Amino acid sequence: MILQTTFPGHSLWSSCSANRLHPFLFSKRRRRSSLSYWHFNRLRPRLFAVAASENGVFTSPEIAKTFDFTSEEGIYNWWESQGYFRPNLDRGSDPFVISMPPPNVTGSLHMGHAMFVTLEDIMVRYHRMKGRPTLWLPGTDHAGIATQLVVEKMLASEGIKRVELGRDEFVNRVWEWKEKYGGTITNQIKRLGASCDWNREHFTLDEQLSRAVVEAFVRLHEKGLIYQGSYMVNWSPSLQTAVSDLEVEYHEESGTLYYIKYRVAGGSKSDYLTIATTRPETLFGDVAIAVHPEDDRYSKYINRMAIVPLTYGRHVPIISDKHVDKDFGTGVLKISPGHDHNDYNLARKLGLPILNVMNKDATLNKVAGLYCGLDRFEARKKLWADLEETGLAVKKEPHTLRVPRSQRGGEVIEPLVSKQWFVTMEPLAEKALRAVEKGDLKIIPERFEKIYNHWLSNIKDWCISRQLWWGHRIPVWYIVGKDCEEEYIVARSEDEALRKAQKKYGRDTKIYQDPDVLDTWFSSALWPFSTLGWPDESIKDFKRFYPTTMLETGHDILFFWVARMVMMGIEFTGTVPFKYVYLHGLIRDSQGRKMSKTLGNVIDPLDTIKEYGTDALRFTIALGTAGQDLNLSTERLTSNKAFTNKLWNAGKFVLQNLPSQIDASTWENILSYKFDKVELLDKLPLPECWVISKLHLLIDTVTASYDKFFFGDVGRETYEFFWGDFADWYIEASKARLYHSGGDSVASVTQAVLLYVFENILKLLHPFMPFVTEELWQALPYRKEALIISPWPLTSLPRKSNSIKKFENLQALTRAIRNARAEYSVEPVKRISASVVANEEVTEYIVKEKEVLALLSRLDLQNIHFTDSPPGNADQSVHVVAGEGLEAYLPLADMIDVTAEIQRLSKRLSKMQTEYDGLKARLSSPKFVEKAPEDIVRGVQEKAAETEEKITLTKNRLALLKSTVVVT
């Protein structure tokens, strides 16, 4: 009898979810049909399982219980050895090109890397499958400051100082370090599955990229866009170099606000201004005192002179400026333009002098008089003690400061006026603004266009020089014996510089090169085109792949890197370097906090991969939304590891229910099924037509989401279809045909559909989860090519909306019966009777799927009755409604032992009644209601109402059961 070939256990009745199958869904202990086609088929030789593992790379799910994460590296190496990462130019269509944001050569993999690698690899794999020549161009950044620091620390451990080695020898040591350790980050990125063309890998100090950097500098200088001058920069005293704004991190720290008297020259003892400052040591650089023009407290002192304390009577003017905040401190501002960005800008606007009181090592210079040579913080302490002694110290009080610290060394950054090289940015920014305005460049998410426009509309000149030894040496040479500010030569090489110098100054002229190097961001700004051969625009790669398609990176470097690439790309190539900019957010911990070693909440990607697998990590971090931060938790990773296993088990089920490859006639029948025409779908049974229609809808939706870069939607939609439709419903429904009567012809339809749907699921998921999907793909029979290069599923394939609606009705009926069984605690193995009441149209298609209904709902196949009106025993049955025009009656006597259930419910009712009486007694007591806290009283009221509702339901159920006993 057909019901004997069923599945004991509780897979469909797991308490975790009515719509999620038990994790043991595909375990071997569940398969017990000794006469079934499925069991007979399992005993045949599995030739495609052998084929999948014959090259030593892939393992079939028929052999391995779960997907082995340690096989990922072998799969990756196989892809690379087959040349799949290189662009296939034979395809001839518009190429899809991404330049990888070059990680620092000193870097070690963190979740930020995992984010960009995952998102970019998703894009690359998708477009590769879409048939486009695809190039993902990798590389690393020389990271001037970071790398120099690493090597200096290494030398220090050997007792060697950089200056003792000399520049050339130090640079040689850095290159040695790079050759030995520089590949670490590259290998770690490969571990994430990055399908880059490693044959085209670049390093920002490569000969080709270095040539591009020099060419860019020379051209900008020739256009008058590069100049040298002394301006305010972020100065790192320990690194002895200017640093970019991006390399300065601001921290809220406890500090002190110092109140100091500045006497008014020519006034009495009572004529003084009290100034509040957090940095009293900079008073030696004061050039003016400012008050608000409408501040009545100080109006009488405007245009007079103040005496700077401890400077032997140095006078500075008292001026008025509307930008002074009357409410901060005392409303009096000391202007020290040599040591504060705001003061510097104000001084330049007002024409005030710039006075620097600090050396490059953050000690005070001769301007500070007796304090010369003291460290800035030591000077602060001594200065305050002296101010107290002279009676010029008013008070000091705690104050929260926003302290700028070096991202690399952690020291306090000093705003300092320094002689540097700058790029004039305004004319470059205008073109970059127009690119977005005209639609030549699209920023995703669109809201970041406002930030982009704001930055470029308020852009300042870019300080591009750094006082380091590691990096691109500035291509400027000075004339020995000449003023270097006035007499210098810009050239593409030292030989060219010498020829120019000797031509201008004579054959005996000697030159020397500027000791500074260029800001690392300068070479990075050229990355999209320098890596393709620029300035030689005749190179094939440049002609084929430039401009690139996509630039994907974190939103925090939209200005520091992205905008500069846009400006440089337009300037040097006449074209925006990419069509799209996709910005991702930060990865935070489960509580939404930024990951940091201080908090101890850093999640290591490599540790995560060992525990959960690369696919689970990739799937987890790809479900975020563009531009928004993502909270990463072990719960999410665990869930998606389970998803990987579910996919593996589904593959195992599909494979174990396919015929052997030696069964040529059966395979010929299976492979003859096509699903690309509506009339072909019309011939399919309802479950098969439903799942294929849902799949075709999914392919359209997912493809549209991929094209819009809505990767979170892609992941969620595919996940829901695979787990919610394919695994939970279709695989279960397929067992009615695979394991029961009907013959090989019926089974072959189901086998063809299983194979078709599963292979398309693998295709849709491959960009997200490349390893497990490739492993499963290789295990499937008749694979002509690797999944990584297999064609993307076609869109606009047929679908039958009426079949979807019909199967949804069958699902609703199944859920209603399952819920009733659960409500009455019916044992999972117990088969029950059912009378299905429906109109003629509904009955017609439900009857055809009677076996599926029986299997999914645990019904006794011989006692399922179909009618258009309620049965005679309706009053002794549980009535369930699946939807309009479809309901069922489940006889209670079939579901439970009525007498035992009456006894159980009677005891339960008595217990609930006692609890309810106690709650009502408390609520009837004025003492309790008046004196107990309001939330306590409300809680008792809610519990009483809930208990009363349970009592009513239990009484109704008891009445129904007792009526059943009477009838019986």
Side-chain angles (χ1 to χ4, degrees), residues 669-882:
N669 190 25
I670 290 173
L671 297 175
S672 68
Y673 285 100
K674 305 297 178 187
F675 307 107
D676 56 350
K677 292 185 173 63
V678 175
E679 53 267 28
L680 298 175
L681 266 61
D682 287 334
K683 298 176 183 178
L684 295 174
L686 179 60
E688 281 68 27
C689 187
W690 165 77
V691 76
I692 287 180
S693 295
K694 292 276 284 188
L695 172 68
H696 290 172
L697 286 169
L698 176 73
I699 290 171
D700 286 0
T701 303
V702 162
T703 302
S705 294
Y706 267 117
D707 289 337
K708 295 175 184 176
F709 310 109
F710 294 168
F711 303 121
D713 291 347
V714 171
R716 285 183 287 271
E717 290 158 358
T718 311
Y719 179 99
E720 284 302 319
F721 172 79
F722 165 74
W723 203 312
D725 292 334
F726 183 68
D728 276 10
W729 287 97
Y730 183 67
I731 281 182
E732 286 295 285
S734 72
K735 296 170 186 175
R737 290 185 236 290
L738 292 172
Y739 305 164
H740 306 314
S741 59
D744 285 4
S745 61
V746 175
S748 65
V749 175
T750 301
Q751 290 167 330
V753 171
L754 278 170
L755 183 59
Y756 175 74
V757 175
F758 188 65
E759 68 182 9
N760 277 288
I761 288 172
L762 295 182
K763 288 184 177 184
L764 298 179
L765 280 175
H766 178 72
F768 280 73
M769 309 174 78
F771 293 108
V772 69
T773 53
E774 185 72 75
E775 185 99 287
L776 289 166
W777 178 269
Q778 294 292 334
L780 295 175
Y782 298 104
R783 301 300 97 183
K784 296 179 181 179
E785 56 193 357
L787 177 58
I788 188 176
I789 57 167
S790 65
W792 188 255
L794 297 174
T795 56
S796 301
L797 291 169
R799 70 289 312 264
K800 298 284 289 183
S801 57
N802 62 332
S803 294
I804 293 175
K805 178 61 179 174
K806 288 176 182 178
F807 193 81
E808 285 175 349
N809 284 340
L810 181 61
Q811 287 177 304
L813 179 59
T814 301
R815 289 193 187 100
I817 295 172
R818 289 177 179 179
N819 290 340
R821 291 182 63 120
E823 186 178 350
Y824 283 88
S825 303
V826 181
E827 294 180 5
V829 295
K830 186 176 180 62
R831 305 301 188 272
I832 63 175
S833 305
S835 293
V836 178
V837 179
N839 59 41
E840 184 177 351
E841 179 188 354
V842 175
T843 300
E844 182 181 359
Y845 64 79
I846 296 291
V847 167
K848 291 180 181 178
E849 300 305 329
K850 186 178 178 180
E851 290 187 6
V852 172
L853 178 63
L855 180 64
L856 297 181
S857 305
R858 299 280 184 182
L859 299 179
D860 182 349
L861 185 61
Q862 306 306 318
N863 285 296
I864 303 176
H865 306 287
F866 295 89
T867 177
D868 58 1
S869 60
N873 63 346
D875 57 343
Q876 284 91 46
S877 301
V878 176
H879 180 209
V880 297
V881 178

Side-chain angles (χ1 to χ4, degrees), residues 127-143:
H127 287 283
R128 184 183 290 123
M129 295 174 76
K130 288 282 282 185
R132 298 175 69 175
T134 304
L135 173 61
W136 186 10
L137 207 153
T140 48
D141 192 287
H142 65 276

Side-chain angles (χ1 to χ4, degrees), residues 78 157 168 171 226 234 252 298 323 471 492 523 578 601 678 775 782 812 876 908 960 964:
W78 181 76
S157 68
D168 291 343
V171 170
I226 284 185
N234 301 308
E252 296 288 328
Y298 310 118
H323 293 98
R492 291 172 177 81
S523 54
F578 27 74
N601 61 348
V678 175
E775 185 99 287
Y782 298 104
Q876 284 91 46
R908 183 182 174 190
L960 175 61
T964 304

Side-chain angles (χ1 to χ4, degrees), residues 120-169:
E120 292 175 27
D121 197 44
I122 285 173
M123 298 180 200
V124 166
R125 288 178 184 269
Y126 168 67
H127 287 283
R128 184 183 290 123
M129 295 174 76
K130 288 282 282 185
R132 298 175 69 175
T134 304
L135 173 61
W136 186 10
L137 207 153
T140 48
D141 192 287
H142 65 276
I145 293 176
T147 307
Q148 182 158 318
L149 272 177
V150 167
V151 177
E152 282 195 50
K153 288 179 181 177
M154 181 187 72
L155 292 172
S157 68
E158 302 172 12
I160 303 172
K161 292 184 177 180
R162 169 171 61 96
V163 291
E164 294 171 355
L165 283 178
R167 182 170 194 144
D168 291 343
E169 180 57 26

Side-chain angles (χ1 to χ4, degrees), residues 421-600:
W421 288 95
F422 295 85
V423 177
T424 303
M425 300 302 292
E426 191 172 335
L428 301 175
E430 289 175 0
K431 297 176 185 177
L433 283 166
R434 283 200 298 272
V436 170
E437 183 182 339
K438 293 190 301 181
D440 295 338
L441 175 64
K442 182 175 177 59
I443 299 176
I444 304 167
E446 190 176 345
R447 69 177 185 274
F448 282 98
E449 287 185 8
K450 291 183 179 179
I451 298 173
Y452 175 91
N453 291 337
H454 175 76
W455 275 337
L456 291 185
S457 298
N458 298 276
I459 198 165
K460 298 177 182 177
D461 288 355
W462 175 15
C463 173
I464 58 171
S465 49
R466 297 291 181 267
Q467 290 64 52
L468 302 170
W469 284 358
W470 173 247
H472 296 99
R473 193 87 172 261
I474 290 179
V476 171
W477 284 263
Y478 302 106
I479 312 303
V480 175
K482 299 283 186 180
D483 184 348
C484 61
E485 291 190 15
E486 300 295 333
E487 306 289 343
Y488 65 83
I489 292 172
V490 176
R492 291 172 177 81
S493 67
E494 185 172 11
D495 289 342
E496 180 185 340
L498 184 59
R499 287 196 303 270
K500 287 183 177 181
Q502 290 179 342
K503 182 178 179 180
K504 185 175 181 179
Y505 299 104
R507 295 183 59 84
D508 296 331
T509 301
K510 295 182 180 179
I511 60 174
Y512 62 96
Q513 191 171 0
D514 192 305
D516 292 352
V517 298
L518 287 163
D519 179 11
T520 301
W521 292 102
F522 189 88
S523 54
S524 299
L526 314 177
W527 185 253
F529 46 96
S530 64
T531 51
L532 292 172
W534 186 90
D536 186 353
E537 298 185 13
S538 65
I539 289 178
K540 286 184 179 180
D541 271 7
F542 186 87
K543 295 168 74 173
R544 284 173 180 161
F545 301 122
Y546 189 82
T548 64
T549 313
M550 167 65 69
L551 189 284
E552 192 284 332
T553 190
H555 64 68
D556 53 330
I557 53 174
L558 174 59
F559 174 71
F560 294 103
W561 188 41
V562 178
R564 286 170 176 168
M565 282 190 287
V566 175
M567 289 185 278
M568 294 301 181
I570 296 173
E571 173 64 23
F572 294 122
T573 70
T575 309
V576 178
F578 27 74
K579 299 173 185 175
Y580 301 96
V581 173
Y582 183 101
L583 301 171
H584 66 250
L586 299 175
I587 295 185
R588 299 181 178 273
D589 70 5
S590 58
Q591 300 176 44
R593 301 174 302 176
K594 190 174 181 179
M595 292 186 186
S596 71
K597 293 179 181 178
T598 304
L599 293 174

